[in-house]
Amino acid sequence: MRQLICAGNWKMHKTGRESVAFVDAFLPLVRAIPERVEIVLCPPFTALATVSPKLNGGRVRLGAQDVHWDESGAFTGAISAPMLREYGVQYVIVGHSERREYFGDTDLTVRLKTVAALAAGLTPIVAVGETIELRDAGKTLAHVTLQTRAALDGLSPADLARVVLAYEPIWAIGTGRSCHPAEANAVMAAIRACVPGLRDAPILYGGSVKPDNIAEYTAQPEIDGGLVGGASLDPASFAALCANASG
Ligand code: 13P
């Protein structure tokens, strides 16, 4: 059976204390989640220090929401991959559409961040996705394959084997308007095919994933889990979603 990944992207939600309250409520629920589901929590940077000891290298993995491409330097406000590693972080989201839209992330910086994450031993979750305008213009595949190639073309086969991708149509994020599973599946097939070496890469769907629709996504052959915003903020909701991912 395929391994699945359910990653909760908390975005700019929860203080350190609120994050601990989530984890305390969430961990007892994890036992009911099938082992084939890898569970990842991506709290804000400021909560890594409080969440990390609670997870304690156990079943639930720690992720971050962004990373800088240099190890250290004059980059006010930025956090490097070695800094994340110090807190037991194993995954990091790069290229989320909110980073691209509000913080100036480009195809180039997404690539640099991906390379930095891999070099530090982190698993990058490389996010791609199209706007509603691009979708309506029939440019979805051209756009997401361009983003994917820009981030990953030319990486070594060993590095590519450690990459996770996320397809998040921007028009489906936080809108309650999820992408039809068959449509997401078709886009993911194109993503997988556009860079040699991605054949076995996990690809997650993101955009209004909920406990009651995750199974429709993971039933698709190309979809290996979810990158979840809103529905990952409540312990019972995220636990149900992770359990339902397994079908
Ligand atoms: P929602 O699940 O709230 O739509 O957010 C999706 C997302 O952006 C995850 O990274």
Side-chain angles (χ1 to χ4, degrees):
M1 260 210 235
R2 279 183 309 152
Q3 165 95 44
L4 301 170
I5 302 173
C6 286
N9 173 13
W10 289 358
K11 309 192 179 185
M12 197 172 72
H13 295 287
K14 297 192 190 293
T15 62
R17 196 171 305 173
E18 289 163 350
S19 301
V20 165
F22 176 104
V23 173
D24 284 341
F26 183 67
L27 287 182
L29 308 175
V30 163
R31 264 172 255 130
I33 301 171
E35 289 285 341
R36 72 186 280 236
V37 182
E38 168 105 326
I39 308 160
V40 184
L41 298 178
C42 304
F45 290 134
T46 50
L48 294 175
T50 56
V51 168
S52 181
K54 288 269 170 190
L55 301 184
N56 200 20
R59 165 99 192 270
V60 180
R61 313 287 181 188
L62 191 56
Q65 299 175 17
D66 186 37
V67 66
H68 194 268
W69 57 84
D70 246 327
E71 289 192 357
S72 63
F75 298 107
T76 301
I79 303 285
S80 74
M83 293 171 185
L84 298 177
R85 283 295 301 262
E86 191 177 19
Y87 286 100
V89 169
Q90 290 177 273
Y91 289 85
V92 62
I93 302 166
V94 296
H96 193 282
S97 58
E98 288 152 13
R99 299 288 324 171
R100 295 181 195 252
E101 181 175 358
Y102 304 124
F103 301 96
D105 283 20
T106 64
D107 283 345
L108 174 62
T109 61
V110 171
R111 181 185 182 83
L112 294 173
K113 291 175 179 197
T114 303
V115 169
L118 288 164
L122 298 170
T123 299
I125 302 175
V126 179
V128 299
E130 81 287 2
T131 60
I132 192 68
E133 290 80 15
L134 286 167
R135 178 176 186 254
D136 289 347
K139 294 186 175 157
T140 297
L141 296 188
H143 183 73
V144 299
T145 55
L146 193 76
Q147 286 182 319
T148 306
R149 279 202 294 263
L152 303 178
D153 242 353
L155 295 192
S156 72
D159 277 345
L160 284 173
R162 294 170 43 219
V163 166
V164 174
L165 285 145
Y167 170 52
E168 298 203 312
I170 295 169
W171 47 270
I173 294 177
T175 57
R177 183 184 166 197
S178 55
C179 180
H180 192 282
E183 183 181 338
N185 189 68
V187 176
M188 283 149 150
I191 291 171
R192 201 185 287 288
C194 79
V195 175
L198 290 182
R199 202 181 50 124
D200 296 323
I203 308 187
L204 315 182
Y205 169 75
S208 298
V209 180
K210 306 289 175 213
D212 61 4
N213 67 10
I214 181 72
E216 295 166 31
Y217 290 102
T218 51
Q220 298 286 332
E222 302 287 348
I223 304 183
D224 303 298
L227 182 55
V228 187
S232 73
L233 293 172
D234 173 74
S237 157
F238 192 51
L241 190 153
C242 292
N244 292 350
S246 182

